[in-house]
């Protein structure tokens, strides 16, 4: 229990580790996190606060509010943000089981993701980009054919 407590509450600074550039897992789409904002685009940012004791967060965007829980991978290079309403007891129980599995994987030389990215309401962020950046939307104008040859003429007979 002492080792778990040290890993969970005393070994790292969650607020400082959350700040910086993150990428949506599996993409090269950057997200900037500052001391009090999650900047999705130049025009869209959420104000947030952390409760590093309970491992929860609260978000606000205009008059909209929400929140959830967060969990870092053991190497602190991934973080999962999970939408929902969680108490400190909820996160403590979940984190204890996850930490045991993560330590077993670490012994095997692998890093366990902080959450399953396919789970509902999960946003998984990574410190390193993967994949390619989001492509701009295609325009509604058809592309010019690659060939400069004139189209074939038909005489109208079937």
């Amino acid at each position: 229990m002492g080792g778990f407590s040290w890993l969970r509450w005393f070994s790292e600074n969650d607020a400082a580790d959350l700040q910086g550039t993150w990428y949506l897992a599996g993409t090269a789409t950057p997200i900037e996190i500052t001391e009090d904002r999650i900047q999705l685009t130049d025009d869209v940012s959420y104000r947030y606060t952390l409760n590093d004791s309970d491992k929860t967060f609260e978000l606000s965007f205009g008059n909209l509010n929400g929140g959830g829980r967060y969990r870092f991978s053991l190497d602190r290079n991934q973080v999962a943000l999970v939408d929902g309403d969680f108490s400190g007891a909820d996160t403590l129980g979940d984190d204890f089981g996850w930490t045991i599995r993560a330590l077993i994987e670490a012994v095997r030389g692998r890093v366990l993701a902080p959450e399953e990215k396919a789970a509902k309401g999960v946003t998984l962020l990574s410190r390193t980009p993967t994949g390619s950046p989001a492509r701009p939307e295609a325009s509604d104008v058809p592309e010019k054919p690659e060939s400069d040859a004139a189209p074939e003429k038909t005489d109208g007979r079937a």
Side-chain angles (χ1 to χ4, degrees):
M1 286 303 281
F4 171 73
S5 295
W6 180 80
L7 279 172
R8 182 174 166 83
W9 289 295
F10 304 112
S11 68
E12 305 289 341
N13 181 335
D14 290 353
D17 287 349
L18 190 60
Q19 293 176 42
T21 302
W22 292 89
Y23 300 88
L24 288 172
T27 75
T29 303
I31 294 175
E32 293 294 325
I33 300 180
T34 66
E35 184 178 323
D36 63 348
R37 292 202 172 273
I38 299 173
Q39 191 80 34
L40 299 178
T41 67
D42 290 341
D43 299 332
V44 178
S45 72
Y46 292 87
R47 181 171 291 284
Y48 79 94
T49 57
L50 286 184
N51 178 331
D52 61 353
S53 178
D54 289 346
K55 307 300 181 191
T56 59
F57 62 89
E58 292 182 19
L59 294 171
S60 63
F61 182 74
N63 63 349
L64 302 173
N65 295 307
R69 62 161 298 142
Y70 68 92
R71 180 189 298 138
F72 285 95
S73 59
L74 289 182
D75 66 1
R76 312 291 277 190
N77 287 320
Q78 297 178 52
V79 65
L81 306 175
V82 182
D83 294 336
D85 188 22
F86 299 93
S87 69
D90 294 332
T91 63
L92 180 64
D94 289 346
D95 287 351
F96 184 77
W98 178 86
T99 301
I100 298 300
R101 290 190 313 277
L103 289 170
I104 291 168
E105 290 301 312
V107 168
R108 294 177 177 164
R110 295 181 278 207
V111 176
L112 183 64
E115 194 72 45
E116 294 293 323
K117 69 179 178 180
K120 185 176 181 176
V122 173
T123 301
L124 188 58
L125 303 175
S126 174
R127 283 287 184 196
T128 55
T130 55
S132 57
R135 292 178 16 181
E137 290 187 28
S139 69
D140 292 332
V141 178
E143 292 183 25
K144 180 181 175 186
E146 289 184 29
S147 170
D148 289 334
E152 291 184 32
K153 294 184 180 181
T154 60
D155 60 6
R157 287 186 260 170

